[in-house]
Coordinates of all heavy atoms in Angstrom, one line a residue:
M1 N 36.3 -45.0 -19.4 CA 35.7 -44.8 -20.7 C 34.5 -45.7 -20.9 O 34.6 -46.9 -20.6 CB 36.8 -45.0 -21.7 CG 36.3 -44.8 -23.1 SD 37.5 -45.1 -24.5 CE 39.1 -45.3 -23.8
E2 N 33.4 -45.2 -21.4 CA 32.2 -46.0 -21.6 C 32.4 -46.9 -22.8 O 33.0 -46.5 -23.8 CB 31.0 -45.0 -21.8 CG 29.7 -45.7 -21.8 CD 28.6 -44.7 -21.8 OE1 28.7 -43.6 -21.2 OE2 27.5 -45.1 -22.4
A3 N 31.8 -48.1 -22.7 CA 31.8 -49.1 -23.8 C 30.7 -48.8 -24.8 O 29.6 -48.4 -24.4 CB 31.8 -50.5 -23.3
E4 N 30.9 -49.2 -26.0 CA 29.8 -49.2 -27.0 C 28.8 -50.2 -26.7 O 29.1 -51.3 -26.2 CB 30.3 -49.5 -28.4 CG 31.2 -48.6 -29.1 CD 31.6 -49.1 -30.5 OE1 30.8 -49.9 -31.1 OE2 32.7 -48.8 -30.9
P5 N 27.5 -50.0 -26.9 CA 26.5 -51.0 -26.8 C 26.9 -52.2 -27.7 O 27.4 -52.0 -28.8 CB 25.2 -50.4 -27.2 CG 25.4 -48.9 -27.1 CD 26.9 -48.7 -27.3
G6 N 26.5 -53.4 -27.3 CA 26.9 -54.6 -28.1 C 28.3 -55.1 -27.9 O 28.8 -55.7 -28.8
T7 N 28.9 -54.8 -26.8 CA 30.2 -55.3 -26.5 C 30.0 -56.3 -25.3 O 29.5 -55.9 -24.3 CB 31.2 -54.2 -26.1 OG1 31.2 -53.2 -27.2 CG2 32.6 -54.7 -25.9
W8 N 30.5 -57.5 -25.4 CA 30.2 -58.6 -24.5 C 31.5 -59.3 -24.2 O 32.4 -59.5 -25.0 CB 29.2 -59.6 -25.0 CG 28.0 -59.0 -25.6 CD1 27.8 -58.5 -26.9 CD2 26.8 -58.6 -24.9 NE1 26.6 -58.0 -27.0 CE2 26.0 -58.0 -25.8 CE3 26.4 -58.8 -23.6 CZ2 24.7 -57.6 -25.4 CZ3 25.2 -58.3 -23.2 CH2 24.3 -57.7 -24.1
L9 N 31.6 -59.8 -22.9 CA 32.7 -60.8 -22.6 C 32.0 -62.2 -22.4 O 31.0 -62.3 -21.8 CB 33.4 -60.4 -21.3 CG 34.5 -59.4 -21.3 CD1 35.0 -59.1 -19.9 CD2 35.6 -59.8 -22.3
V10 N 32.6 -63.2 -23.0 CA 32.2 -64.6 -22.9 C 33.3 -65.3 -22.2 O 34.4 -65.3 -22.7 CB 31.8 -65.2 -24.2 CG1 31.4 -66.6 -24.1 CG2 30.7 -64.4 -24.9
G11 N 33.0 -65.9 -21.0 CA 34.0 -66.7 -20.3 C 33.4 -67.6 -19.3 O 32.2 -67.5 -18.9
K12 N 34.1 -68.6 -18.9 CA 33.7 -69.6 -17.9 C 33.8 -69.1 -16.5 O 34.8 -68.6 -16.1 CB 34.5 -70.9 -18.1 CG 33.9 -72.0 -17.3 CD 34.6 -73.3 -17.5 CE 33.8 -74.1 -18.5 NZ 34.3 -75.5 -18.6
H13 N 32.7 -69.2 -15.8 CA 32.6 -68.8 -14.4 C 31.8 -69.9 -13.6 O 30.7 -70.2 -14.0 CB 32.0 -67.5 -14.2 CG 31.9 -67.0 -12.8 ND1 33.0 -66.7 -12.1 CD2 30.9 -66.8 -12.0 CE1 32.7 -66.3 -10.8 NE2 31.4 -66.4 -10.8
L14 N 32.4 -70.5 -12.6 CA 31.7 -71.5 -11.8 C 31.2 -72.7 -12.7 O 30.1 -73.2 -12.5 CB 30.6 -71.0 -11.0 CG 30.9 -69.9 -10.0 CD1 29.7 -69.3 -9.3 CD2 31.9 -70.4 -8.9
G15 N 32.1 -73.1 -13.7 CA 31.8 -74.2 -14.5 C 30.9 -74.0 -15.7 O 30.6 -74.9 -16.4
E16 N 30.4 -72.8 -15.9 CA 29.5 -72.5 -17.0 C 30.0 -71.3 -17.8 O 30.5 -70.4 -17.2 CB 28.1 -72.2 -16.5 CG 27.3 -73.3 -15.9 CD 25.9 -72.9 -15.6 OE1 25.4 -71.9 -16.1 OE2 25.3 -73.6 -14.7
Q17 N 29.7 -71.3 -19.1 CA 30.0 -70.2 -19.9 C 29.0 -69.1 -19.6 O 27.8 -69.3 -19.5 CB 29.9 -70.5 -21.4 CG 31.0 -71.5 -21.9 CD 32.4 -70.8 -21.9 OE1 32.5 -69.6 -22.1 NE2 33.4 -71.6 -21.7
R18 N 29.5 -67.9 -19.4 CA 28.7 -66.7 -19.1 C 28.9 -65.6 -20.1 O 30.0 -65.5 -20.7 CB 29.1 -66.1 -17.7 CG 29.1 -67.1 -16.6 CD 27.7 -67.2 -16.0 NE 27.8 -68.1 -14.8 CZ 26.8 -68.6 -14.2 NH1 25.6 -68.2 -14.6 NH2 26.9 -69.4 -13.2
V19 N 27.8 -64.9 -20.3 CA 27.8 -63.7 -21.2 C 27.6 -62.5 -20.3 O 26.6 -62.4 -19.6 CB 26.7 -63.8 -22.3 CG1 26.7 -62.5 -23.1 CG2 27.0 -65.0 -23.2
T20 N 28.6 -61.6 -20.4 CA 28.6 -60.4 -19.5 C 28.7 -59.1 -20.4 O 29.7 -59.0 -21.1 CB 29.7 -60.5 -18.5 OG1 29.7 -61.7 -17.8 CG2 29.6 -59.3 -17.5
P21 N 27.8 -58.2 -20.2 CA 28.0 -56.9 -21.0 C 29.2 -56.1 -20.5 O 29.4 -56.1 -19.3 CB 26.7 -56.2 -20.8 CG 26.1 -56.8 -19.5 CD 26.6 -58.2 -19.4
V22 N 29.9 -55.5 -21.4 CA 31.0 -54.7 -21.0 C 30.4 -53.3 -20.8 O 29.8 -52.7 -21.7 CB 32.1 -54.6 -22.1 CG1 33.2 -53.6 -21.8 CG2 32.7 -56.0 -22.3
E23 N 30.6 -52.7 -19.6 CA 30.0 -51.4 -19.3 C 31.0 -50.3 -19.6 O 30.5 -49.2 -19.8 CB 29.7 -51.4 -17.7 CG 28.8 -52.5 -17.3 CD 27.4 -52.3 -17.8 OE1 26.9 -51.2 -18.0 OE2 26.7 -53.4 -18.0
G24 N 32.3 -50.6 -19.6 CA 33.2 -49.5 -19.9 C 34.6 -50.1 -20.0 O 34.8 -51.3 -20.0
W25 N 35.6 -49.2 -20.1 CA 37.0 -49.7 -20.3 C 37.9 -48.9 -19.2 O 37.7 -47.7 -19.0 CB 37.5 -49.3 -21.7 CG 36.7 -50.0 -22.7 CD1 35.7 -49.4 -23.5 CD2 36.9 -51.3 -23.2 NE1 35.2 -50.4 -24.3 CE2 35.9 -51.5 -24.2 CE3 37.7 -52.4 -22.8 CZ2 35.7 -52.7 -24.9 CZ3 37.6 -53.6 -23.5 CH2 36.6 -53.7 -24.5
D26 N 38.8 -49.7 -18.7 CA 39.8 -49.1 -17.8 C 41.1 -49.0 -18.5 O 41.6 -50.0 -19.0 CB 39.9 -50.0 -16.5 CG 41.0 -49.5 -15.6 OD1 41.1 -48.3 -15.5 OD2 41.6 -50.3 -14.8
V27 N 41.5 -47.8 -18.7 CA 42.7 -47.5 -19.5 C 43.8 -47.0 -18.5 O 43.6 -46.0 -17.8 CB 42.5 -46.5 -20.6 CG1 43.8 -46.2 -21.4 CG2 41.4 -46.9 -21.5
D28 N 44.9 -47.7 -18.4 CA 46.0 -47.3 -17.6 C 47.4 -47.5 -18.2 O 47.4 -47.8 -19.4 CB 45.9 -48.0 -16.2 CG 46.1 -49.5 -16.3 OD1 46.6 -50.0 -17.3 OD2 45.7 -50.2 -15.3
D29 N 48.4 -47.5 -17.5 CA 49.8 -47.6 -18.1 C 50.0 -49.0 -18.6 O 50.9 -49.3 -19.4 CB 50.8 -47.3 -17.0 CG 50.8 -45.9 -16.6 OD1 50.3 -45.0 -17.3 OD2 51.3 -45.6 -15.5
H30 N 49.2 -50.0 -18.2 CA 49.4 -51.4 -18.6 C 48.5 -51.8 -19.7 O 48.6 -52.9 -20.2 CB 49.1 -52.3 -17.4 CG 50.0 -52.1 -16.2 ND1 51.3 -52.4 -16.2 CD2 49.7 -51.5 -15.0 CE1 51.8 -52.0 -15.0 NE2 50.8 -51.5 -14.3
G31 N 47.6 -50.9 -20.2 CA 46.8 -51.2 -21.3 C 45.3 -50.9 -21.0 O 45.0 -50.1 -20.2
T32 N 44.5 -51.7 -21.7 CA 43.0 -51.5 -21.6 C 42.4 -52.8 -21.0 O 42.7 -53.9 -21.5 CB 42.4 -51.2 -23.0 OG1 43.1 -50.0 -23.5 CG2 41.0 -50.9 -22.9
A33 N 41.5 -52.6 -20.1 CA 40.8 -53.8 -19.6 C 39.3 -53.5 -19.6 O 38.8 -52.4 -19.2 CB 41.2 -54.1 -18.1
P34 N 38.4 -54.5 -20.0 CA 37.0 -54.2 -19.9 C 36.5 -54.2 -18.5 O 37.0 -55.0 -17.6 CB 36.4 -55.4 -20.7 CG 37.5 -56.5 -20.6 CD 38.8 -55.8 -20.5
L35 N 35.5 -53.4 -18.3 CA 34.8 -53.3 -17.0 C 33.4 -53.9 -17.1 O 32.7 -53.6 -18.0 CB 34.7 -51.9 -16.5 CG 36.0 -51.1 -16.4 CD1 35.7 -49.6 -16.0 CD2 36.8 -51.7 -15.2
T36 N 33.1 -54.9 -16.2 CA 31.8 -55.5 -16.2 C 31.2 -55.5 -14.8 O 31.9 -55.2 -13.8 CB 31.9 -57.0 -16.6 OG1 32.8 -57.7 -15.7 CG2 32.5 -57.1 -18.0
L37 N 29.9 -55.7 -14.7 CA 29.2 -55.6 -13.4 C 29.4 -57.0 -12.7 O 29.2 -57.1 -11.5 CB 27.8 -55.3 -13.6 CG 27.5 -53.9 -14.1 CD1 26.0 -53.6 -14.2 CD2 28.1 -52.8 -13.1
T38 N 29.6 -58.0 -13.4 CA 29.8 -59.4 -12.9 C 31.1 -59.9 -13.4 O 31.7 -59.4 -14.3 CB 28.7 -60.3 -13.2 OG1 28.6 -60.4 -14.7 CG2 27.3 -59.8 -12.7
L39 N 31.6 -61.0 -12.7 CA 32.8 -61.6 -13.1 C 32.7 -62.2 -14.6 O 31.8 -62.9 -14.9 CB 33.2 -62.7 -12.2 CG 33.5 -62.3 -10.8 CD1 33.7 -63.5 -9.9 CD2 34.8 -61.4 -10.7
P40 N 33.7 -61.9 -15.4 CA 33.6 -62.4 -16.8 C 34.0 -63.9 -16.9 O 33.6 -64.6 -17.8 CB 34.6 -61.5 -17.5 CG 35.6 -61.1 -16.5 CD 34.8 -61.0 -15.2
G41 N 34.8 -64.4 -16.0 CA 35.1 -65.8 -16.0 C 36.5 -66.0 -16.6 O 37.2 -65.1 -17.0
E42 N 36.9 -67.3 -16.6 CA 38.2 -67.7 -17.1 C 38.2 -67.7 -18.6 O 37.2 -67.9 -19.3 CB 38.5 -69.2 -16.7 CG 38.4 -69.5 -15.2 CD 38.3 -70.9 -14.9 OE1 38.5 -71.8 -15.8 OE2 38.0 -71.3 -13.7
D43 N 39.4 -67.4 -19.2 CA 39.5 -67.4 -20.6 C 38.5 -66.6 -21.3 O 38.0 -67.0 -22.4 CB 39.6 -68.8 -21.2 CG 40.7 -69.6 -20.6 OD1 41.7 -69.1 -20.2 OD2 40.5 -70.9 -20.4
A44 N 38.1 -65.4 -20.8 CA 37.1 -64.6 -21.4 C 37.6 -64.0 -22.7 O 38.7 -63.7 -22.9 CB 36.7 -63.4 -20.5
I45 N 36.6 -64.0 -23.7 CA 36.9 -63.4 -25.0 C 35.9 -62.3 -25.2 O 34.8 -62.3 -24.7 CB 36.8 -64.4 -26.1 CG1 35.5 -65.1 -26.2 CG2 38.0 -65.4 -26.0 CD1 35.3 -66.0 -27.4
L46 N 36.3 -61.3 -26.0 CA 35.5 -60.1 -26.3 C 34.7 -60.4 -27.6 O 35.2 -60.9 -28.5 CB 36.4 -58.9 -26.5 CG 35.7 -57.6 -26.5 CD1 35.1 -57.3 -25.2 CD2 36.8 -56.5 -26.8
V47 N 33.4 -60.2 -27.5 CA 32.5 -60.4 -28.7 C 31.7 -59.1 -28.9 O 31.2 -58.5 -28.0 CB 31.4 -61.5 -28.4 CG1 30.5 -61.6 -29.5 CG2 32.1 -62.8 -28.1
K48 N 31.8 -58.6 -30.2 CA 31.0 -57.4 -30.6 C 29.8 -57.9 -31.4 O 29.9 -58.7 -32.3 CB 31.9 -56.5 -31.5 CG 33.1 -56.0 -30.8 CD 32.8 -54.7 -30.0 CE 32.4 -53.6 -31.0 NZ 31.8 -52.5 -30.3
G49 N 28.7 -57.3 -31.1 CA 27.4 -57.7 -31.8 C 26.3 -57.8 -30.9 O 26.2 -57.2 -29.8
R50 N 25.3 -58.6 -31.3 CA 24.1 -58.7 -30.6 C 24.3 -59.7 -29.4 O 25.3 -60.5 -29.4 CB 23.0 -59.4 -31.4 CG 22.6 -58.6 -32.7 CD 21.6 -59.4 -33.5 NE 22.3 -60.7 -33.9 CZ 21.6 -61.7 -34.5 NH1 20.3 -61.6 -34.8 NH2 22.3 -62.8 -34.9
E51 N 23.5 -59.5 -28.3 CA 23.6 -60.5 -27.2 C 23.4 -61.9 -27.7 O 24.1 -62.8 -27.2 CB 22.6 -60.1 -26.1 CG 22.7 -61.0 -24.9 CD 21.7 -60.7 -23.8 OE1 20.9 -59.8 -24.0 OE2 21.8 -61.4 -22.8
L52 N 22.6 -62.1 -28.7 CA 22.3 -63.5 -29.2 C 23.6 -64.0 -29.8 O 24.0 -65.2 -29.6 CB 21.3 -63.4 -30.3 CG 21.0 -64.7 -31.1 CD1 20.5 -65.8 -30.1 CD2 20.0 -64.5 -32.2
D53 N 24.4 -63.2 -30.5 CA 25.7 -63.6 -31.0 C 26.7 -64.0 -29.9 O 27.4 -65.1 -30.0 CB 26.3 -62.6 -31.9 CG 25.4 -62.2 -33.1 OD1 24.8 -63.1 -33.6 OD2 25.4 -61.0 -33.5
A54 N 26.7 -63.3 -28.9 CA 27.6 -63.6 -27.7 C 27.1 -64.9 -27.1 O 28.0 -65.7 -26.7 CB 27.6 -62.4 -26.7
R55 N 25.8 -65.1 -27.0 CA 25.3 -66.3 -26.4 C 25.6 -67.5 -27.3 O 25.9 -68.6 -26.8 CB 23.8 -66.2 -26.1 CG 23.6 -65.2 -25.0 CD 22.2 -65.4 -24.3 NE 22.1 -64.4 -23.3 CZ 22.6 -64.4 -22.1 NH1 23.3 -65.5 -21.7 NH2 22.4 -63.5 -21.2
K56 N 25.6 -67.3 -28.6 CA 26.0 -68.4 -29.5 C 27.4 -68.8 -29.3 O 27.8 -70.0 -29.3 CB 25.7 -68.0 -30.9 CG 24.3 -68.0 -31.3 CD 24.2 -67.5 -32.8 CE 22.8 -67.5 -33.3 NZ 22.7 -67.2 -34.7
V57 N 28.3 -67.8 -29.1 CA 29.7 -68.1 -28.8 C 29.8 -68.9 -27.5 O 30.6 -69.9 -27.5 CB 30.5 -66.8 -28.7 CG1 31.9 -67.1 -28.2 CG2 30.6 -66.1 -30.1
A58 N 29.1 -68.5 -26.5 CA 29.1 -69.3 -25.2 C 28.7 -70.7 -25.4 O 29.3 -71.6 -24.9 CB 28.3 -68.6 -24.2
Y59 N 27.6 -70.9 -26.1 CA 27.1 -72.3 -26.4 C 28.1 -73.1 -27.2 O 28.3 -74.3 -26.9 CB 25.7 -72.3 -27.0 CG 24.6 -71.8 -26.1 CD1 23.8 -70.8 -26.6 CD2 24.5 -72.2 -24.8 CE1 22.8 -70.3 -25.8 CE2 23.5 -71.7 -24.0 CZ 22.7 -70.7 -24.5 OH 21.7 -70.2 -23.6
M60 N 28.7 -72.5 -28.2 CA 29.7 -73.2 -29.0 C 30.9 -73.6 -28.2 O 31.4 -74.7 -28.4 CB 30.1 -72.3 -30.2 CG 29.0 -72.1 -31.2 SD 28.4 -73.6 -31.9 CE 29.0 -73.4 -33.5
R61 N 31.3 -72.8 -27.2 CA 32.4 -73.1 -26.4 C 32.0 -74.3 -25.5 O 32.9 -75.2 -25.2 CB 32.8 -71.9 -25.5 CG 33.5 -70.8 -26.4 CD 33.8 -69.6 -25.6 NE 35.0 -69.9 -24.8 CZ 35.7 -69.0 -24.2 NH1 35.4 -67.7 -24.3 NH2 36.8 -69.3 -23.4
E62 N 30.8 -74.4 -25.1 CA 30.3 -75.6 -24.3 C 30.3 -76.8 -25.2 O 30.7 -77.9 -24.7 CB 28.9 -75.3 -23.8 CG 28.8 -74.2 -22.7 CD 29.1 -74.7 -21.3 OE1 29.4 -75.9 -21.1 OE2 29.2 -73.8 -20.4
L63 N 29.9 -76.7 -26.4 CA 29.9 -77.8 -27.3 C 31.3 -78.4 -27.6 O 31.5 -79.6 -27.7 CB 29.2 -77.5 -28.6 CG 27.7 -77.2 -28.5 CD1 27.2 -76.7 -29.9 CD2 26.9 -78.4 -28.1
V64 N 32.3 -77.5 -27.7 CA 33.7 -77.9 -27.9 C 34.1 -78.8 -26.7 O 34.7 -79.8 -26.9 CB 34.6 -76.7 -28.0 CG1 36.1 -77.1 -27.9 CG2 34.4 -76.0 -29.3
E65 N 33.7 -78.4 -25.5 CA 34.0 -79.2 -24.3 C 33.3 -80.6 -24.4 O 33.9 -81.6 -23.9 CB 33.7 -78.5 -23.0 CG 34.6 -77.3 -22.8 CD 34.2 -76.6 -21.5 OE1 33.4 -77.1 -20.7 OE2 34.7 -75.4 -21.3
M66 N 32.1 -80.6 -24.9 CA 31.4 -81.9 -25.0 C 32.0 -82.8 -26.0 O 31.8 -84.0 -25.9 CB 29.9 -81.6 -25.4 CG 29.1 -81.0 -24.3 SD 27.4 -80.8 -25.0 CE 26.8 -79.5 -23.9
A67 N 32.6 -82.3 -27.0 CA 33.1 -83.2 -28.1 C 34.1 -84.2 -27.5 O 34.2 -85.3 -28.0 CB 33.8 -82.3 -29.2
D68 N 34.9 -83.8 -26.5 CA 35.8 -84.8 -25.9 C 35.1 -85.9 -25.2 O 35.7 -87.0 -25.1 CB 36.7 -84.0 -24.9 CG 37.6 -83.0 -25.6 OD1 38.0 -83.2 -26.8 OD2 38.1 -82.1 -24.9
R69 N 33.9 -85.7 -24.9 CA 33.2 -86.8 -24.2 C 32.3 -87.7 -25.1 O 31.7 -88.7 -24.7 CB 32.3 -86.2 -23.1 CG 33.1 -85.5 -22.0 CD 32.2 -85.0 -20.8 NE 31.1 -84.2 -21.2 CZ 31.1 -82.9 -21.1 NH1 32.2 -82.2 -20.7 NH2 30.0 -82.2 -21.4
C70 N 32.2 -87.3 -26.4 CA 31.5 -88.1 -27.4 C 32.3 -89.4 -27.6 O 33.5 -89.3 -28.0 CB 31.3 -87.4 -28.7 SG 30.1 -86.0 -28.5
T71 N 31.6 -90.5 -27.5 CA 32.3 -91.8 -27.6 C 31.9 -92.6 -28.9 O 32.5 -93.6 -29.1 CB 32.1 -92.7 -26.4 OG1 30.7 -92.9 -26.2 CG2 32.7 -92.0 -25.1
T72 N 30.9 -92.1 -29.6 CA 30.5 -92.8 -30.8 C 30.4 -91.8 -32.0 O 30.2 -90.6 -31.8 CB 29.1 -93.4 -30.6 OG1 28.1 -92.4 -30.5 CG2 29.1 -94.4 -29.4
P73 N 30.5 -92.4 -33.2 CA 30.3 -91.5 -34.4 C 29.0 -90.8 -34.4 O 28.8 -89.7 -34.9 CB 30.5 -92.5 -35.6 CG 31.3 -93.6 -35.0 CD 30.9 -93.8 -33.6
E74 N 28.0 -91.5 -33.9 CA 26.6 -91.0 -33.9 C 26.5 -89.8 -33.0 O 25.9 -88.8 -33.3 CB 25.6 -92.0 -33.5 CG 25.4 -93.2 -34.4 CD 26.4 -94.3 -34.3 OE1 27.2 -94.3 -33.3 OE2 26.5 -95.1 -35.2
A75 N 27.2 -89.9 -31.8 CA 27.2 -88.8 -30.9 C 27.9 -87.5 -31.5 O 27.4 -86.4 -31.3 CB 27.8 -89.2 -29.6
L76 N 29.0 -87.8 -32.2 CA 29.7 -86.7 -32.8 C 28.9 -86.1 -33.9 O 28.9 -84.9 -34.1 CB 31.1 -87.2 -33.3 CG 32.2 -87.3 -32.3 CD1 33.4 -88.0 -32.9 CD2 32.6 -86.0 -31.7
A77 N 28.2 -86.9 -34.7 CA 27.3 -86.4 -35.7 C 26.2 -85.5 -35.2 O 25.9 -84.5 -35.7 CB 26.7 -87.5 -36.6
D78 N 25.6 -86.0 -34.1 CA 24.6 -85.2 -33.4 C 25.2 -83.9 -32.9 O 24.5 -82.8 -33.0 CB 23.9 -86.0 -32.3 CG 22.9 -87.0 -32.7 OD1 22.5 -87.0 -33.9 OD2 22.6 -87.8 -31.9
L79 N 26.3 -83.9 -32.3 CA 27.0 -82.7 -31.8 C 27.2 -81.7 -33.0 O 27.0 -80.5 -32.8 CB 28.3 -83.0 -31.1 CG 28.9 -81.9 -30.3 CD1 27.9 -81.5 -29.1 CD2 30.2 -82.4 -29.7
K80 N 27.7 -82.2 -34.1 CA 27.9 -81.4 -35.3 C 26.6 -80.8 -35.7 O 26.5 -79.6 -36.1 CB 28.5 -82.2 -36.4 CG 28.9 -81.4 -37.6 CD 29.5 -82.3 -38.7 CE 29.9 -81.4 -39.9 NZ 30.6 -82.2 -40.9
R81 N 25.5 -81.5 -35.7 CA 24.2 -80.9 -36.1 C 23.8 -79.9 -35.1 O 23.2 -78.8 -35.5 CB 23.1 -82.0 -36.1 CG 23.2 -82.9 -37.4 CD 22.0 -83.9 -37.5 NE 20.7 -83.1 -37.6 CZ 19.6 -83.6 -37.2 NH1 19.5 -84.8 -36.7 NH2 18.5 -82.9 -37.4
I82 N 24.0 -80.1 -33.8 CA 23.6 -79.1 -32.8 C 24.5 -77.8 -33.0 O 23.9 -76.7 -33.0 CB 23.9 -79.7 -31.4 CG1 22.9 -80.8 -31.1 CG2 23.8 -78.6 -30.3 CD1 23.2 -81.6 -29.9
A83 N 25.7 -78.0 -33.3 CA 26.6 -76.8 -33.5 C 26.1 -76.0 -34.7 O 26.1 -74.8 -34.7 CB 28.1 -77.2 -33.7
G84 N 25.8 -76.7 -35.8 CA 25.2 -76.0 -37.0 C 23.9 -75.3 -36.7 O 23.7 -74.1 -37.1
W85 N 23.1 -75.9 -35.9 CA 21.8 -75.3 -35.6 C 22.0 -74.1 -34.7 O 21.4 -73.0 -34.9 CB 20.9 -76.3 -34.9 CG 19.6 -75.8 -34.5 CD1 18.5 -75.7 -35.3 CD2 19.2 -75.4 -33.2 NE1 17.4 -75.2 -34.6 CE2 17.8 -75.0 -33.3 CE3 19.8 -75.2 -32.0 CZ2 17.1 -74.5 -32.2 CZ3 19.1 -74.7 -30.9 CH2 17.8 -74.4 -31.0
V86 N 22.9 -74.2 -33.7 CA 23.2 -73.0 -32.8 C 23.7 -71.9 -33.6 O 23.3 -70.7 -33.5 CB 24.2 -73.4 -31.7 CG1 24.8 -72.2 -31.0 CG2 23.5 -74.4 -30.7
A87 N 24.7 -72.2 -34.6 CA 25.3 -71.1 -35.4 C 24.3 -70.4 -36.2 O 24.3 -69.2 -36.4 CB 26.4 -71.7 -36.2
D88 N 23.3 -71.1 -36.8 CA 22.4 -70.5 -37.7 C 21.1 -70.0 -37.1 O 20.3 -69.3 -37.8 CB 22.0 -71.6 -38.8 CG 23.2 -72.0 -39.6 OD1 24.2 -71.2 -39.7 OD2 23.2 -73.1 -40.2
W89 N 20.8 -70.4 -35.9 CA 19.5 -70.1 -35.3 C 19.2 -68.6 -35.1 O 20.1 -67.9 -34.7 CB 19.3 -70.8 -33.9 CG 18.0 -70.7 -33.3 CD1 16.9 -71.5 -33.6 CD2 17.5 -69.6 -32.4 NE1 15.8 -71.0 -32.9 CE2 16.1 -69.9 -32.2 CE3 18.1 -68.5 -31.9 CZ2 15.4 -69.1 -31.4 CZ3 17.3 -67.7 -31.0 CH2 16.0 -68.0 -30.8
E90 N 18.0 -68.2 -35.4 CA 17.6 -66.8 -35.2 C 16.2 -66.9 -34.5 O 15.5 -67.9 -34.7 CB 17.4 -66.1 -36.5 CG 18.8 -65.8 -37.2 CD 19.6 -64.8 -36.4 OE1 19.1 -63.9 -35.8 OE2 20.9 -64.9 -36.5
P91 N 15.8 -65.9 -33.8 CA 14.5 -65.9 -33.1 C 13.4 -66.2 -34.1 O 13.4 -65.7 -35.2 CB 14.3 -64.5 -32.6 CG 15.7 -64.0 -32.3 CD 16.5 -64.7 -33.5
G92 N 12.5 -67.1 -33.7 CA 11.4 -67.5 -34.6 C 11.7 -68.8 -35.4 O 10.7 -69.4 -35.9
D93 N 12.9 -69.3 -35.4 CA 13.3 -70.5 -36.1 C 12.7 -71.7 -35.3 O 12.6 -71.6 -34.0 CB 14.8 -70.7 -36.3 CG 15.4 -69.7 -37.3 OD1 14.6 -69.1 -38.0 OD2 16.6 -69.7 -37.4
P94 N 12.5 -72.8 -35.9 CA 12.0 -74.0 -35.2 C 13.1 -74.6 -34.3 O 14.3 -74.3 -34.5 CB 11.6 -75.0 -36.3 CG 12.4 -74.6 -37.5 CD 12.6 -73.1 -37.4
G95 N 12.7 -75.5 -33.5 CA 13.7 -76.2 -32.6 C 14.4 -77.3 -33.5 O 14.3 -77.4 -34.7
L96 N 15.2 -78.1 -32.8 CA 16.1 -79.1 -33.4 C 15.7 -80.5 -32.9 O 15.5 -80.6 -31.7 CB 17.5 -78.8 -33.1 CG 18.5 -79.8 -33.7 CD1 18.6 -79.8 -35.2 CD2 19.9 -79.6 -33.1
S97 N 15.5 -81.4 -33.8 CA 15.2 -82.8 -33.4 C 16.5 -83.6 -33.8 O 17.0 -83.4 -34.9 CB 14.0 -83.3 -34.1 OG 12.9 -82.6 -33.7
L98 N 16.8 -84.6 -33.0 CA 17.9 -85.5 -33.3 C 17.5 -86.9 -33.4 O 16.3 -87.2 -33.2 CB 19.0 -85.4 -32.1 CG 19.6 -84.0 -31.9 CD1 20.5 -84.0 -30.7 CD2 20.4 -83.6 -33.1
G99 N 18.3 -87.8 -33.8 CA 18.0 -89.2 -33.9 C 17.2 -89.5 -35.2 O 16.4 -90.4 -35.2
G100 N 17.5 -88.8 -36.3 CA 16.8 -89.1 -37.5 C 15.5 -88.4 -37.7 O 14.9 -88.5 -38.8
E101 N 15.0 -87.7 -36.7 CA 13.8 -87.0 -36.9 C 14.0 -85.7 -37.6 O 15.1 -85.2 -37.6 CB 13.2 -86.7 -35.5 CG 12.9 -87.9 -34.6 CD 12.5 -87.5 -33.2 OE1 12.0 -86.3 -33.1 OE2 12.6 -88.3 -32.3
S102 N 13.0 -85.2 -38.3 CA 13.2 -83.9 -38.9 C 12.7 -82.8 -38.0 O 11.8 -83.0 -37.2 CB 12.4 -83.9 -40.2 OG 11.0 -84.1 -40.0
A103 N 13.3 -81.6 -38.2 CA 12.9 -80.5 -37.3 C 11.6 -79.9 -37.7 O 11.1 -80.0 -38.7 CB 14.0 -79.4 -37.4

């Protein structure tokens, strides 16, 4: 069965979060499985929407892993700012500056 456009799998593969378009669905006696042209990775989740939205999910998953390595309140505050920027960013928006600088 063919998948709707805007259906993505986000999952870790070879140590990085990957975004993979879902090309179709395999329906059998055990249920439904997404079909992709490349490996979706470990702990893949399904995302409906724009590719940008799926990529934001992938980046946020990377940031969650980074949080465990933050050793100072300043690093955690910067990570929180980065997460907010990633969540809100749209094409054409300015970049992000850290360390007290304004964007």
Side-chain angles (χ1 to χ4, degrees):
M1 179 180 351
E2 192 173 325
E4 290 181 31
T7 306
W8 311 89
L9 277 180
V10 176
K12 187 175 261 192
H13 180 67
L14 299 175
E16 290 185 22
Q17 291 291 329
R18 304 274 184 190
V19 174
T20 307
V22 175
E23 303 293 328
W25 300 98
D26 180 27
V27 181
D28 62 18
D29 295 338
H30 302 289
T32 305
L35 300 174
T36 60
L37 295 178
T38 59
L39 294 174
E42 304 165 11
D43 300 330
I45 59 171
L46 196 62
V47 176
K48 297 275 296 163
R50 304 173 297 171
E51 182 177 2
L52 175 63
D53 299 323
R55 293 201 180 278
K56 286 181 180 186
V57 169
Y59 292 131
M60 294 298 252
R61 291 177 75 164
E62 293 279 352
L63 292 175
V64 166
E65 291 179 11
M66 286 182 204
D68 292 335
R69 297 190 303 262
C70 290
T71 58
T72 66
E74 293 82 10
L76 283 171
D78 282 347
L79 194 63
K80 184 176 179 179
R81 283 188 63 205
I82 293 167
W85 181 81
V86 167
D88 295 338
W89 187 86
E90 291 293 327
D93 288 352
L96 176 69
S97 297
L98 299 175
E101 300 174 24
S102 60

